[in-house]
Structures are given as C-alpha cells and as structure tokens.
Amino acid sequence: MTAHAASPGEEIVRAACPHDCPDTCAMLVTVRRENGRRLAVKIAGDPEHPTTRGALCTKVSRYLERTYHPERLLHPLKRIGRKGEGRFVRVGWDEALDDIAARLKSIAAVDPQRIVPYSYAGTMGLVQGEAMALRFFHRLGASLLDRTICATAGAEALAYTIGTRTGPAMEAFADAKLVILWGTNAIASNLHLWSFVQQAKRNGAKLVAIDPWRSDTAEKCHQHIALLPGTDGALALGMAHVLIREGWLDRDYIERYTLGFEALAARAAEFPPARVAELCGITAAEVEQLARDYAHLRPAAIRLNYGMQRAAGGGNAVRAVACLPALAGHWRHPAGGVLLSSSGVAEVDAARLYRPELLAGRRPRTINMSAIGQALANAELPIEALIVYNSNPVAVAPDSRAVAAGFAREDLFTVVLEQFQTDTADYADYVLPATTQLEHVDVHKSYGHLYVLANNPAIEPLGEALPNTEIFRRLAAKMGFAEPCFAESDDELAAQAFRRDGATAHVTWPRLKAAGWQRLDVPQPYAPFAEGAFPTPSGRCEFHSQALADLGLDPVPNYVPPAEVADPALAARFPLAIISPPARNFLNSTFVNVKSLRDAEGEPTLQIHPQDAAARGIGDGDRVRVFNDRGEFELTARVTDRARPGVVVALSIWWKKLARDGRNANEVTSQRLTDIGRAPTFYDCRVEVTRR
Ligand SMILES: Nc1nc2c(c(=O)[nH]1)N[C@H]1C(S)=C(S)[C@@H](COP(=O)(O)OP(=O)(O)OC[C@H]3O[C@@H](n4cnc5c(=O)[nH]c(N)nc54)[C@H](O)[C@@H]3O)O[C@H]1N2
Ligand SMILES: Nc1nc2c(c(=O)[nH]1)N[C@H]1C(S)=C(S)[C@@H](COP(=O)(O)OP(=O)(O)OC[C@H]3O[C@@H](n4cnc5c(=O)[nH]c(N)nc54)[C@H](O)[C@@H]3O)O[C@H]1N2
Ligand code: SF4
Ligand SMILES: [Mo]
C-alpha cells in the first residue's frame, strides 16, 4: 500500500469490483475513522493495475452511494404480508435462523432435494459466491443448481471447439489491425477493453461492430453490420465460405493444429453470401467485405460477448465464430484470435472450496436456473424451499409471469439473502441482510483479463448485515452440521480458492491480499494457441467435435435459426424481434435502485425504427404495450433508426417495482433453452407492439 499514500488519518484499502463484468477492476478505497467506526470516503480504480488503469465505470464510481444507501437491508426481516407485497417485520438473527433451520430440517427429513439453492453472480467473489454456500447445500443433500443463466451456451461451445475459455489478452487488443466487436456493446459492458480498442483505432485499426442495434459502441466503429438477432452462426459460416472460396487460409495452421477442415468446408459451402444475406437481413457485399478484411487486416481480434449466444442456436453460433481464427491463422499473434471469456485460465480448486464429498454418495437432482418458472410448477419433483443469494430471479429470469407465480406459491418456503429489498426479496418468508464488497473479504478471478485480485474489507458491516459465508456458517450450526469445514474463516476460504498448479501456482493469499492483484503465470506476450496446443480431446481446434457427435448433436458448426423465427405462424402473429441488452448505468438488475444511476437511464424505453413505428401509429414518447403469448409490459417509445427494422430494443434489467407498470422485459422472454449449454434464449423472442 505504499504507492498510494493516504492523507493523515486516512487509509487506502485494496479492493476488487465484485460485479458480473469482465473487467474485474482493482479498486482503492479511502477510509477514515469517524466516531470509532471506519467510513469509506472515496473509491477509485487502481492506476497501476494494467487493465483498470485508474478508472472505474460510472456505476461503480457510485459504489459508496450504493453501500450507504438509506434502503440498505440492515436487519433480518420476516414476512407479514402476502407474498410479493413486500410487508415485513424486523426479527433477531437467532429467531430467524432457528425458524429457518427448523423448516429446512422438516423438509429434509422427507427429501432434502426439495430444498433448492438459487444463486448467480451478484458478487463474482469466490468466497461470498459459493464457498460456504455449496458446502452447506452439499451437506444437506439439497438439489444442485445448473447455473446457466448467462454464459453456458458460449462456454460449452468454446470447450467443444478450442477446449477452454481464453483468447487474446485485453491489453493486446491495442495491437490488432482489425477489431470485430461481435455482439458486444463494450462501452457499456466492457469499458476497459474499449479503451484498448480505441488505442488500436488510433494506430490505424479498422473497427467493425456486428450487432442488431446501433449501440454506443457500434456508433463509434468504422462499420456496423446490423444483422437480425440470433443469425450470427450464418454470418460466421458465410465468412468461412468466402475464406475457403478465395483460398484466404493459413493452410499450415489448419494442417497442424485443426481437426475436421473438410467437414467445415462442406458445411460452409452451404452458406454462400447471398443466402447468408437473406438469413441475416444484411447485404451479400457486407459478408464479402467482412471476410476480405478478416483475411487481410492482420492480426484480427474478435471480441465476442454473451449477447450473441442468447438465441436457440447460440452454441453453434459461438462455435462457428471460434473456428474463424484457426482458418485464417490469427491465433499466431498475441493480438489475434477470439475472446469470449478468459475465465478458463485461473482454475478454481473446486474440490477444496466446495467439498463435493459432503454429498456422501448422494446424487441429488439438478435444477436448471434458467427454467425456474417451470421447476416451481412441477408437482412431480416438488420444490418446497428456495434459498436465494447473489441473484434477483423475479426480475432477471425469463418468462417472469411463470417465475412470479412460482415464487407466490403459499406452500413454498423462501429465504432471500440480500443487500436490498428487491423484487425477489418481496416474495421471501425471511430476508437476511448481506454485506457489500466494502464490508467483507473476498478473492476474485476475471473473465476478461489475466489477473487475480483480493478484496480487503474497508469498513465494518453496516447494521446487522453479515457476509453470506457467515449466514451459512450460522445456519450450518443450527442444522447441527459439525464438520470442521463449516468453521473456516473467510481468509481460510480465500486461501483455498485457486489450484496450486498451473497459472495460479504462485498465488498465495497473504501475498495477494497485500498486493491487491497478481498477474496469472502465463507467458507475456500471451498467444495461447500460436502453436496449437488446444486443450481439446484431439489437442487441435475442433471444427469437427466427436464429443458433440457422441451426444447426438451436430459435430460441425451449423446455423440453427432463432426458435421464434423458425415457427412461421408465431413469427406472423408477432412480427417484431425484441432484444433486452444491458443498460449502461445498470449491472443486470443491480444499481437500478441507485437514484443517480436510474435518473441517468431515465425510464424503461423501447427503441423502435421509424418504419415500424409509423406502421403502428406510434410516435416518439408514446406509451406502448409490448406483448406476446407469455405476457406484456409497457414502456415509452423512442423512435430511432438505432433500432433496425424488425427489431425493437428495451435496455435492461429494470426492477419491476421501479417501472411504472410494475413489469419488465422478462414478461415476454421464454424459458426455451439453447442448442448447447442449456442456457436461456432472452434474445430469441417475438412480440407485437401497440400504442397504449
Ligand atoms: N453496464 C453493464 N455492463 C454489464 C452488464 C450490465 O447489465 N450492464 N452485464 C454484465 C453481464 S452479466 C454480462 S453477461 C456481460 C455481457 O453481456 P452482454 O449481454 O453480451 O452485453 P453487451 O456487451 O451489452 O452486448 C450485448 C450486445 O449484443 C447485441 N445483441 C443482442 N442480440 C444479438 C445477436 O443475436 N447477435 C449479435 N451479434 N448481437 C446481439 C445487443 O444489441 C448489445 O449491443 O456484460 C456485463 N457487463
Ligand atoms: N431480459 C433479460 N434478462 C436477463 C439478461 C438480459 O440481458 N436480458 N441478462 C441475463 C444475465 S447475462 C445475467 S448474468 C442474469 C443476472 O442475474 P443476477 O445474477 O441475478 O444479477 P442481478 O440482477 O445483478 O442480481 C444480483 C443480486 O445479488 C445481490 N448481491 C450482490 N452482492 C451480494 C452479496 O454479497 N450477498 C448477497 N446475498 N447478495 C448480493 C444484489 O443486491 C442483486 O440484487 O440476468 C439475466 N437476465
Ligand atoms: S462494473 Fe466492470 S467496469 Fe465497472 S468497476 Fe466493476 S469491473 Fe470495472
Ligand atoms: Mo451475464
């Protein structure tokens, strides 16, 4: 802590941004002592961290406003109103935990699988994430949760293609000559990558955005290809078609380091630019030009983001894109290749951290979090208790009417660990107050860069809030779980987070805690597949995947059209596609209750193209109703050509209760899953829009 000397009476604490964002920023929190308690007075990005470079985004610059928010939950609460109504009374920790333990024991006596955890990435911290929680649920024998709501389509598609989740380092994007921002509004969702991309631009690189919507990012690129949602697989196969037709291939790379070129070539032959143009709603010239640039502007770095895998064919689309750098040989350069996630580099020591042996041979059923609405309605596999932490499913899970109906079940016992009274907390029997990142210990890896980080607590917990770990520790004690692993401290958990070999072999908790962050032990410069070495079964980039064939799936990337386009009757009744990508000032549904950020975002809006608006008599500023067979919600129309014809855009994820009609975009999204990875299809969704 020497480099950033604090003023007298102040101290600077090294912390990490906990949010579900690829940038995982290194933070410096300035703390002062007031009335015997520590008070955080300033939060900033660490200027020495190589990707944070001293800057935090607008959202987390407001983290103090969020931490000291007057509506922070500071005491355990017990429901007195109807489910969803949000009426609670304050209770003591012991009373709450005694009652919860009694309820869980009586359910577990019949079948512990009737108890289900529901969690995602409210914090990305490995300690406050699943460390104590999974130990607890494993010991209990509760249902397992398949955590699919964000990334599994892309993650599994990458696994079948390149064997892991990695790509060019974030910093290396500065050296690319072509940057393709493919389904990513980096200015909103990956700000620090964007600053390296701007460096590339200043060095003469061409920037191309592939996105149905003219996002802030697309607006600043040299070219924007506004394809229809869910058609990326066709575009990638069209690029492969042109590369192969023209012989723009790195034949040596293909020969040495790939598997199944002939099969891929046969598939790509089915995707001539004219056909691709029709499928994607773009021009054949755009396909040709993109392939030409990809072959000739070297190295080319593709930044893929998860937005493009939220459709029925999301897995195949990621696979198709992930084949491109091997065809053209871009992996040879540190600034070439494709980056969807870097989370495969630092490996969590899951066996030590999560203690699967506590299952003691039991094999509980698995519930897919993306279809929680269906799971809560399934009488054959009843769910009697839900324990929610680090997630806000009533706002974020698809097909929200079904989700809310499930949460409203009177026979369901629901506990929600939260920092705020969210839409989900309104349905809880007990709400348990959780600490924020400034109040607890944690350790982080990143899915965007190549560093691990420590989070030191800056202040004491506010009110009676407790870290998730401590809540599960106390609950374990009430349940009579006596294993020593339930007594471990947060520092002990942090020390067990990473494997002691590979890229994290040199990481020790005391050192990380003091330094704040450490680079992973990978070569610098980093070009993971310059000489093949793909961690796939064949050791090659698998254009053809035997593992997929063994599952009865198409072994070669194909174009799988959006499910709601593939159904012509449905597509005719609901002529518009809706996408609900991240709003810049929110992080999923986090920060929606921070007034300054909500004010910056304004109100829930629907961006609609002038033609589509005119056809429906909709003017800018009109209230509109968006609906399909699953549900409906209301927004204010923004008539703009940033939305392409046929596609409407509702930036998300609003808290339902902070929207005028008490609803959000997930009223219309479906519980259908992707081709690979069992993931949600938020952006594979057809609607009609009318003026109110
Ligand atoms: N400010 C902010 N940052 C965030 C988040 C947030 O909510 N707010 N969320 C975080 C999370 S959880 C995640 S998973 C990440 C990444 O989350 P992503 O959902 O990938 O987010 P974006 O980078 O905004 O990219 C989505 C972009 O893809 C476009 N898109 C939608 N459908 C398609 C499609 O079918 N094809 C193509 N090519 N593009 C499509 C959208 O118009 C949008 O511009 O961002 C993280 N960062
Ligand atoms: N329509 C639509 N829906 C979407 C998406 C979309 O683009 N469009 N994006 C999807 C994606 S990519 C994702 S990742 C999911 C995100 O879904 P979630 O992971 O549920 O994310 P958040 O909505 O941010 O909710 C996280 C909650 O965790 C709480 N929290 C934070 N830290 C802690 C802690 O330490 N302890 C406890 N107990 N609670 C904590 C926060 O207060 C917050 O309410 O949403 C998905 N839903
Ligand atoms: S949300 Fe992302 S960009 Fe913002 S501070 Fe956190 S890691 Fe950095
Ligand atoms: Mo996500």
Side-chain angles (χ1 to χ4, degrees):
M1 296 182 200
T2 47
H4 312 284
S7 318
E10 290 185 346
E11 184 195 334
I12 289 177
V13 178
R14 290 191 175 276
C17 175
H19 292 296
D20 189 349
C21 168
D23 297 19
T24 320
C25 288
M27 310 197 296
L28 299 175
V29 184
T30 308
V31 175
R32 194 185 293 155
R33 204 158 257 291
E34 245 174 55
N35 307 323
R37 281 179 71 84
R38 291 153 68 86
L39 182 73
V41 293
K42 190 179 158 209
I43 190 158
D46 183 347
E48 284 165 20
H49 184 269
T51 62
T52 305
R53 301 202 284 187
L56 301 178
C57 63
T58 339
K59 307 174 288 291
V60 175
S61 302
R62 304 280 162 72
Y63 203 74
L64 300 185
E65 195 182 330
R66 184 172 188 274
T67 300
Y68 292 115
H69 196 297
E71 289 160 12
R72 265 291 296 282
L73 293 169
L74 299 176
H75 314 283
L77 298 172
K78 180 179 177 167
R79 180 169 61 86
I80 48 168
R82 271 182 303 108
K83 290 200 172 191
E85 200 178 15
R87 286 174 52 224
F88 292 85
V89 285
R90 178 175 171 180
V91 292
W93 270 110
D94 269 322
E95 180 189 339
L97 294 177
D98 281 334
D99 195 19
I100 294 166
R103 294 290 295 265
L104 296 183
K105 276 183 196 166
S106 77
I107 296 169
V110 179
D111 181 359
Q113 298 177 96
R114 295 182 179 193
I115 301 167
V116 177
Y118 197 98
S119 67
Y120 201 64
T123 170
M124 296 287 291
L126 295 165
V127 174
Q128 306 307 332
E130 301 300 340
M132 205 41 93
L134 279 188
R135 291 175 181 195
F136 178 82
F137 292 110
H138 285 155
R139 171 68 177 77
L140 187 59
S143 284
L144 304 175
L145 187 71
D146 197 5
R147 292 181 173 78
T148 55
I149 202 146
C150 173
T152 46
E156 293 188 16
L158 282 188
Y160 288 119
T161 315
I162 62 171
T164 184
R165 298 175 309 284
T166 192
M170 198 187 279
E171 299 93 316
F173 275 71
D175 303 321
K177 287 290 171 264
L178 173 68
V179 179
I180 303 182
L181 294 140
W182 199 319
T184 178
N185 179 13
I187 292 178
S189 70
N190 195 184
L191 187 63
H192 296 79
L193 176 104
W194 178 247
S195 84
F196 292 105
V197 172
Q198 280 179 300
Q199 236 171 286
K201 190 180 187 184
R202 287 194 291 275
N203 294 338
K206 178 173 180 181
L207 314 187
V208 181
I210 301 175
D211 194 313
W213 172 56
R214 201 167 77 235
S215 66
D216 291 346
T217 305
E219 199 125 80
K220 294 190 169 55
C221 290
H222 297 101
Q223 190 189 355
H224 172 210
I225 300 178
L227 81 184
L228 290 165
T231 63
D232 303 85
L235 179 57
L237 287 165
M239 287 172 73
H241 180 101
V242 177
L243 295 176
I244 294 167
R245 185 194 70 202
E246 299 298 327
W248 291 333
L249 300 169
D250 185 333
R251 293 189 189 277
D252 176 63
Y253 194 94
I254 293 170
E255 175 77 16
R256 288 189 205 213
Y257 306 132
T258 73
L259 185 74
F261 174 74
E262 296 306 327
L264 180 63
R267 182 55 52 72
E270 299 168 27
F271 291 87
R275 178 175 177 220
V276 170
E278 199 174 311
L279 293 170
C280 300
I282 57 176
T283 65
E286 285 173 305
V287 184
E288 296 277 358
Q289 181 65 43
L290 184 62
R292 175 179 301 272
D293 287 341
Y294 192 67
H296 299 291
L297 302 177
R298 307 182 72 90
I302 299 176
R303 169 59 177 159
L304 264 189
N305 210 346
Y306 289 108
M308 56 75 71
Q309 44 111 68
R310 305 200 199 291
N316 268 277
V318 169
R319 253 174 73 62
V321 176
C323 291
L324 297 172
L327 282 179
H330 288 299
W331 285 121
R332 291 187 190 273
H333 195 285
V338 52
L339 176 68
L340 173 60
S341 166
S342 61
S343 70
V345 186
E347 285 187 72
V348 172
D349 193 342
R352 285 167 79 219
L353 205 53
Y354 306 137
R355 308 287 164 120
E357 77 274 11
L358 293 167
L359 282 168
R362 293 168 296 181
R363 299 184 60 186
R365 66 175 174 178
T366 298
I367 303 283
N368 186 337
M369 72 185 302
S370 300
I372 188 64
Q374 285 162 13
L376 286 169
N378 185 345
E380 274 149 44
L381 295 167
I383 298 178
E384 290 183 18
L386 261 184
I387 310 210
V388 181
Y389 51 102
N390 304 338
S391 187
N392 184 11
V394 171
V396 309
D399 195 358
S400 203
R401 196 151 72 178
V403 177
F407 272 81
R409 269 176 38 199
E410 278 304 331
D411 60 338
L412 179 73
F413 179 65
T414 305
V415 179
V416 176
L417 285 62
E418 249 303 348
Q419 298 160 341
F420 291 99
Q421 191 66 34
T422 59
D423 291 325
T424 305
D426 283 348
Y427 287 87
D429 292 282
Y430 282 100
V431 180
L432 304 177
T435 45
T436 70
Q437 189 78 340
L438 298 193
E439 300 151 66
H440 55 226
V441 168
D442 222 320
V443 65
H444 290 254
K445 60 187 258 187
S446 167
Y447 63 100
H449 61 58
L450 297 171
Y451 305 83
V452 289
L453 300 91
N455 183 69
N456 292 290
I459 58 174
E460 296 89 356
L462 300 189
E464 293 180 8
L466 293 175
N468 290 343
T469 44
E470 180 60 17
I471 299 174
F472 284 108
R473 243 181 236 117
R474 292 190 187 183
L475 203 50
K478 300 270 187 204
M479 298 291 289
F481 299 166
E483 290 79 358
C485 71
F486 291 109
E488 286 176 358
S489 69
D490 286 4
D491 279 288
E492 285 171 304
L493 293 170
Q496 296 167 47
F498 298 115
R499 289 182 56 130
R500 290 169 180 176
D501 54 10
T504 49
H506 64 305
V507 175
T508 66
W509 179 236
R511 200 181 320 148
L512 186 58
K513 231 174 126 108
W517 50 269
Q518 277 180 278
R519 190 170 194 276
L520 293 169
D521 187 12
V522 291
Q524 170 92 284
Y526 180 64
F529 309 124
E531 294 173 37
F534 293 94
T536 54
S538 64
R540 292 162 173 256
C541 174
E542 298 200 346
F543 300 151
H544 178 281
S545 162
Q546 190 55 44
L548 281 173
D550 293 346
L551 292 171
L553 297 173
D554 197 332
V556 183
N558 202 353
Y559 171 56
V560 177
E564 301 212 342
V565 171
D567 179 343
L570 188 82
R573 286 173 58 220
F574 299 114
L576 298 170
I578 186 169
I579 55 175
S580 47
R584 184 170 179 177
N585 294 288
F586 303 152
L587 207 135
N588 300 323
S589 77
T590 301
F591 295 107
V592 180
N593 63 326
V594 174
K595 191 170 180 309
S596 61
L597 293 169
R598 189 168 71 251
D599 287 348
E601 214 48 56
E603 60 178 329
T605 59
L606 187 76
Q607 299 183 34
I608 182 166
H609 189 271
Q611 279 168 22
D612 292 327
R616 291 165 178 78
I618 293 168
D620 192 62
D622 285 351
R623 286 294 281 177
V624 292
R625 173 174 169 256
V626 176
F627 63 95
N628 59 20
D629 289 336
R630 290 177 290 267
E632 61 174 85
F633 70 121
E634 280 183 30
L635 315 108
T636 299
R638 290 275 168 268
V639 178
T640 166
D641 65 2
R642 293 180 70 166
R644 58 157 288 158
V647 182
V648 291
V649 182
L651 297 181
S652 288
I653 307 170
W654 281 82
W655 279 27
K656 293 183 175 189
K657 59 179 159 184
L658 294 177
R660 260 202 270 171
D661 66 336
R663 296 182 179 145
N664 73 13
N666 282 319
E667 298 292 331
V668 294
T669 55
S670 84
Q671 296 183 68
R672 207 179 279 117
L673 303 176
T674 51
D675 51 350
I676 296 174
R678 312 163 307 283
T681 54
F682 291 110
Y683 306 163
D684 186 339
C685 181
R686 307 284 293 195
V687 292
E688 181 53 293
V689 179
T690 54
R691 221 177 82 187
R692 284 275 305 157

